[in-house]
Amino acid sequence: MIVRLDLSNDAIAAALYAMQGRAYRVEAEIMGFEGTPPLNESLNELRRSREGFYGFFTGSGELAGAIAIEREGERVTISRLMVDPPHFRKGIGRALLRFVLEQEAGARRILVSTGSLNTPALELYRQHGFQEKRQREVAPGILVTHLERPAAGQVD
């Protein structure tokens, strides 16, 4: 079940924060880079975020994944997509991404970024119509790939 997360709820915020640490630790290992912003964020910074968070809960009520978005007019940025490592390869990231794509069907552009070495994330985005637009070096030798998914019927 996917629901909007209320980060004013202490239990929800703490569960999201803990899961974020575990999930982004895996990406940091893939990239060889500890400077990933979510790894260096405090619980209070997470709670003050302007992003809209949605969480995937298992049948037993465990938070197993989350996605966060930011909307500016007709442009939506997926700012975070995370799955708790024990729940990798269960379709949770795919379900969260599809959820946002359906919820934001009216957006003219949907943007996302991920570590250029994060092959599973890049494949997931490509499978859902995202196209690589550019790479950016965020630290010496550390590349981030920026992707975009235009609205149906849009031309580059």
Side-chain angles (χ1 to χ4, degrees):
M1 171 174 62
I2 298 174
V3 298
R4 179 139 183 146
L5 298 179
D6 176 5
L7 298 188
S8 69
N9 177 303
D10 291 339
I12 295 291
L16 177 63
Y17 183 72
M19 182 188 59
Q20 174 175 279
R22 292 186 297 270
Y24 280 98
R25 172 74 42 220
V26 172
E27 184 175 48
E29 290 171 8
I30 290 169
M31 293 179 59
F33 179 62
E34 295 294 320
T36 303
L39 282 178
N40 299 301
E41 181 177 52
S42 72
L43 175 59
N44 285 334
E45 289 170 328
L46 176 65
R47 291 180 90 158
R48 288 192 306 264
S49 167
R50 293 180 165 195
E51 299 155 274
F53 284 87
Y54 296 90
F56 182 103
F57 288 86
T58 64
S60 64
E62 176 187 6
L63 180 63
I67 193 166
I69 63 169
E70 298 175 80
R71 181 179 261 288
E72 284 185 48
E74 294 182 332
R75 183 180 76 191
V76 172
T77 300
I78 298 171
S79 49
R80 307 176 202 218
L81 175 56
M82 61 190 105
V83 176
D84 207 352
H87 295 284
F88 281 0
R89 293 177 178 47
K90 295 181 181 177
I92 293 170
R94 184 175 313 282
L96 287 162
L97 183 57
R98 283 184 184 150
F99 175 83
V100 164
L101 294 177
E102 289 170 9
Q103 293 292 310
E104 299 296 336
R108 290 185 57 85
R109 294 177 26 203
I110 300 179
L111 310 172
V112 69
S113 303
T114 192
S116 297
L117 296 177
N118 190 343
T119 304
L122 288 169
E123 284 303 311
L124 175 66
Y125 297 130
R126 287 181 191 127
Q127 290 169 2
H128 287 84
F130 285 85
Q131 302 164 0
E132 292 183 26
K133 291 299 178 182
R134 65 183 173 97
Q135 287 188 331
R136 182 172 58 99
E137 189 173 44
V138 295
I142 306 299
L143 297 174
V144 169
T145 299
H146 298 271
L147 303 102
E148 180 178 333
R149 183 178 192 262
Q154 288 283 110
V155 177
D156 283 348

